[in-house]
Amino acid sequence: MASLEADVEVLAAQDLDRLTDAAVADQVLVLRRLVDRLEGQRLQRVAAVDARGAAGAELGQEFGSTAGWLRRRLRLGSAAASSAVRTARALFRGPLTQTARALCDGELSATHAAVVAHGTHQLPNHVTAEAEPIVVEAAGRLDPPRLRRVLGHLQLVADPDSADHARDSRQLRRGLWLAPTWDQMVAVNGLLEPEAGQILLVALEPLARPHSADDSRSGGQRTADALTELARRALEGGQLPQTGGARPQLTVTVDLDSLVGPHGLGGEAGEAGPLDPETCRGWPVTAQ
């Protein structure tokens, strides 16, 4: 470990300005492969700690679970810690031996390995072992989202009843929740079924692109703006179902002083709270 840390220090000391464009680009690719290989070694050791019940041994303490130890010591989220343990078990204590070898050799990314481990988690070990050569070959050609679809098809073929149950479970879990916050924003949270999620992603993608090279919005901000734009276009398009005999529309009532003046609050829109005058000026309003 000391030698590995020394190598990282040497790498960190490099002056990138002295490297050619080709050298910098090549280092990005080489480092990605090395990071994946190191992740393979890390997961192998997570599997060993899990098998020995050694979580917390470095402190002379006992933890209730390997995932709990990872959460505490590495400040990981619950989902990330559980995912690491599940992947480690499947690769180094389960049927995915070829996947483990490909990861440690740098032929497979850590993300792909996790997708394989999670996608085969519900399958019997003998089915996973038989399908693994095909899955590893596919992982070498496909990005993680497409690999998930391949594994979903494998699940459907291998265990149709389980696939139907999973589909029904996803349908029951779907939902979208909107709630006003204390500072008059609207919090959005929810789950969509796979097909619905893909429809939304495809619709948002062209609207969420940067406007130009000077667009300083974050990815999350662009997505939020894209969702707003999508809803605005739907309202203006006149294709929405009628409500009470009239097309859905937004009416904002605001006193004239607040609308015209430089300060003060505007009207109200549902439960979203008061709106500022600049926001009101962008909408059709009825001044009173």
Side-chain angles (χ1 to χ4, degrees), residues 177-242:
W177 300 273
L178 308 175
T181 67
W182 66 271
D183 59 349
Q184 304 169 29
M185 299 186 75
V186 176
V188 182
N189 187 27
L191 283 173
L192 300 178
E193 294 179 82
E195 182 179 357
Q198 287 300 314
I199 291 173
L200 181 60
L201 289 173
V202 170
L204 291 177
E205 192 276 332
L207 298 174
R209 295 171 184 163
H211 293 157
S212 67
D214 298 326
D215 192 339
S216 62
R217 295 174 301 164
S218 67
Q221 289 171 337
R222 295 199 309 271
T223 301
D225 292 346
L227 184 60
T228 303
E229 177 65 12
L230 190 65
R232 186 188 67 79
R233 294 188 181 197
L235 287 170
E236 292 181 351
Q239 300 299 315
L240 295 176
Q242 292 188 353

Side-chain angles (χ1 to χ4, degrees), residues 96 98-99 108 112-113 115-117 119-120 123 127-142 147 150-151 154:
L96 295 175
Q98 293 184 41
T99 306
L108 201 65
H112 284 83
V115 169
V116 173
T120 58
L123 296 176
V127 174
T128 298
E130 291 174 4
E132 188 182 20
I134 299 174
V135 171
V136 171
E137 190 275 334
R141 296 183 293 103
L142 304 176
L147 181 60
V150 169
L151 290 165
L154 173 62

Side-chain angles (χ1 to χ4, degrees), residues 70-106:
L70 291 175
R71 289 198 303 272
R72 172 78 176 276
R73 297 291 282 139
L74 299 179
R75 299 178 299 281
L76 295 181
S78 177
S82 298
S83 174
V85 174
R86 179 184 298 178
T87 301
R89 287 173 178 170
L91 267 59
F92 298 101
R93 295 177 59 194
L96 295 175
T97 56
Q98 293 184 41
T99 306
R101 185 165 56 252
L103 175 61
C104 291
D105 290 344

